[in-house]
Amino acid sequence: MPGIYIHVPFCKSKCAYCDFASYPKELSKCDLYFACLYKEMKGRSESVKDYVFDTVYFGGGTPSFVDAKYIEGAMRQLRNYYKIADNAEITIEMNPGTVDEEKIRRYEKQGFNRFSVGLQTATDRLLENIGRIHTKQDFIDVAKLLKGKNFSVDVMFGLANQTENDVREAIDLAISSGAKHVSSYALKAEEGTPMYCRYLNGELPSEDEVADQYDFAVKHLEENGFKRYEVSNFCKDGFYSRHNLNYWKRGEYLGFGVSASSFIGERRFTNTEKIDEYVACIMRDKVAEIFSEKIEGDEREFEFIMLGLRTADGISFDDYRSRFGGNFKEKYAKKIAATRKYLNETEKGVAIKPEYLFVQNEIIIQFMD
């Protein structure tokens, strides 16, 4: 079933690596922004009146940074105008230092049953270096509030002056805190961010060093009972992210707020990243889209292949047949032959071998014409 994404662009401070639509100096626009967000939700509802949504995800920015009343209002608006499954997975991202027991209580009252916590690293000097607003102790304090609940922890590697022991410490802290899910991913220095300057100055580790840290993270997580189900995502049995898995299975989703993307009926569209432009459009009863395209023909198939090969399960031949007709093995026989040493092939499907999953882009690209 499809999912819903809500973007909250406000945060206390922008991290050195962040290229998302997040604005630490725009909190004064919070009232107006959420009023427009609620209006956008109402305006889009008629086009998906027959849909039942299985997941809801609040991302950012830092959703836990704003007053809980805004999140409560968004959930009430969603339930007023959309059909949300009774057992829907409802997630909110939060950073240590921006949440307390009262906020969590209010979130749970609105149906939130999954929390995604941004730890990144358990080493205070590294946290400061990448511009995080919290310390290791701040994370420990939040983890205590979430004890016994379903929560995920983000862990980052590939940081400047980060050692394998630093990676181990972060993973061990996530595990010992009671997390059921860990997203472990490499720092990517995006152009236009302060981190990109450090990358140009040669301050970040080499690709080989990053790959070694990834391999260590995979092994250490699996030794502790966390199964890798996507390149950067690991979980205890049954605790995978249903929302993200829907993306990787090329499922439909609806996005609200600045920079939010949607994929409905083979049309993909994305809202503006600028708060003022978003507000102006919604206030004038116009869509805030800056990008829209219809996905057709071979592009649909390549998206299916690209997303499927990111996951540990890979591509199901039956799933391919039900979506596109025909036989995957026959149509892509030459592509499979060219990449066979990287693939595990069974009667049911094909997947990238675990040892090559980190470099999956180099393999996936060979399936393009």
Side-chain angles (χ1 to χ4, degrees):
M1 288 194 286
I4 289 175
Y5 174 81
I6 298 95
H7 191 76
V8 181
F10 307 103
C11 57
K12 187 173 182 179
S13 177
K14 198 173 180 75
C15 300
Y17 55 83
C18 179
D19 73 331
F20 295 126
S22 61
Y23 307 103
K25 298 179 181 180
E26 303 280 6
L27 193 58
S28 62
K29 300 175 181 178
C30 203
D31 282 344
L32 184 57
Y33 177 79
F34 273 91
C36 289
L37 184 72
Y38 303 158
K39 185 176 181 181
E40 185 190 17
M41 290 177 178
K42 180 180 179 180
R44 290 195 187 276
S45 61
E46 189 64 25
S47 64
V48 291
K49 61 182 180 180
D50 296 327
Y51 281 60
V52 177
F53 292 89
D54 184 53
T55 65
V56 177
Y57 193 103
F58 283 71
T62 308
S64 59
F65 176 57
V66 304
D67 193 299
K69 68 181 182 181
Y70 297 112
I71 307 300
E72 292 168 331
M75 283 305 304
R76 284 194 292 267
Q77 192 77 341
L78 283 179
R79 288 200 167 93
N80 282 340
Y81 293 102
Y82 296 86
K83 297 175 184 176
I84 309 298
D86 291 339
N87 66 337
E89 175 193 270
I90 305 177
T91 304
I92 186 167
E93 291 181 349
M94 55 176 61
N95 283 342
T98 66
V99 68
D100 54 25
E101 188 173 7
E102 173 64 12
K103 274 188 176 179
I104 293 172
R105 184 192 66 78
R106 291 171 69 174
Y107 295 154
E108 289 187 311
K109 190 173 181 180
Q110 290 299 321
F112 285 88
N113 51 27
R114 187 174 183 274
F115 305 91
S116 179
V117 186
L119 169 61
Q120 312 311 348
T121 174
T123 309
D124 284 343
R125 62 176 174 80
L126 295 178
L127 286 168
E128 183 178 0
N129 191 44
I130 61 176
R132 300 292 289 176
I133 64 169
H134 64 88
T135 63
K136 174 183 176 180
Q137 185 59 49
D138 290 331
F139 171 82
I140 293 172
D141 293 341
V142 170
K144 288 178 181 177
L145 299 177
L146 295 173
K147 185 176 181 180
K149 305 182 191 301
N150 178 17
F151 70 97
S152 173
V153 174
D154 290 349
V155 172
M156 187 180 287
F157 54 89
L159 308 181
N161 301 313
Q162 185 181 34
T163 66
E164 184 178 288
N165 192 59
D166 292 327
V167 178
R168 181 198 302 273
E169 184 181 359
I171 292 173
D172 286 346
L173 180 58
I175 293 171
S176 64
S177 71
K180 301 294 194 298
H181 184 285
V182 173
S183 293
S184 183
Y185 57 97
L187 168 71
K188 187 175 181 182
E190 299 287 0
E191 190 170 355
T193 66
M195 192 60 68
Y196 189 70
C197 295
R198 300 179 194 177
Y199 163 72
L200 293 178
N201 290 334
E203 297 177 27
L204 301 183
S206 68
E207 289 183 4
D208 287 342
E209 289 173 317
V210 173
D212 287 343
Q213 289 183 347
Y214 174 78
D215 289 340
F216 168 76
V218 172
K219 182 179 179 182
H220 194 54
L221 281 160
E222 290 182 343
E223 287 173 349
N224 283 276
F226 284 77
K227 178 182 178 182
R228 177 173 56 174
Y229 67 98
E230 190 269 346
V231 176
S232 301
N233 287 274
F234 307 76
C235 67
K236 293 284 190 178
D237 285 344
F239 287 95
Y240 59 87
S241 168
R242 283 155 55 184
H243 185 82
N244 287 338
L245 199 59
N246 179 58
Y247 291 148
W248 299 319
K249 288 183 175 295
R250 204 174 177 271
E252 293 182 297
Y253 50 90
L254 199 58
F256 300 104
V258 296
S259 79
S261 291
S262 302
F263 179 54
I264 297 290
E266 294 298 339
R267 186 172 81 91
R268 184 171 290 113
F269 47 100
T270 303
N271 284 345
T272 175
E273 291 190 355
K274 300 175 182 178
I275 293 179
D276 290 343
E277 185 176 344
Y278 171 80
V279 167
C281 289
I282 301 301
M283 293 289 284
R284 295 197 301 265
D285 294 321
K286 295 183 178 180
V287 295
E289 297 168 20
I290 57 169
F291 172 82
S292 177
E293 66 174 345
K294 188 77 173 178
I295 312 300
E296 298 178 330
D298 290 342
E299 190 174 356
R300 295 182 184 180
E301 287 195 36
F302 178 67
E303 284 188 357
F304 172 80
I305 294 168
M306 174 186 67
L307 294 168
L309 288 179
R310 287 184 58 88
T311 66
D313 290 340
I315 295 168
S316 161
F317 295 148
D318 285 344
D319 191 10
Y320 174 84
R321 186 179 297 108
S322 67
R323 291 171 182 254
F324 307 107
N327 186 298
F328 182 89
K329 290 179 66 175
E330 291 179 1
K331 182 169 183 177
Y332 292 94
K334 291 182 179 179
K335 308 289 188 182
I336 293 173
T339 56
R340 179 157 281 123
K341 72 175 183 177
Y342 305 113
L343 303 177
N344 280 329
E345 186 179 345
T346 68
E347 292 181 357
K348 293 184 177 181
V350 62
I352 294 176
K353 293 178 179 178
E355 61 267 33
Y356 296 114
L357 201 54
F358 188 57
V359 291
Q360 33 84 29
N361 286 341
E362 299 172 23
I363 302 164
I364 292 170
I365 202 71
Q366 297 188 51
F367 280 83
M368 292 185 68
D369 289 325

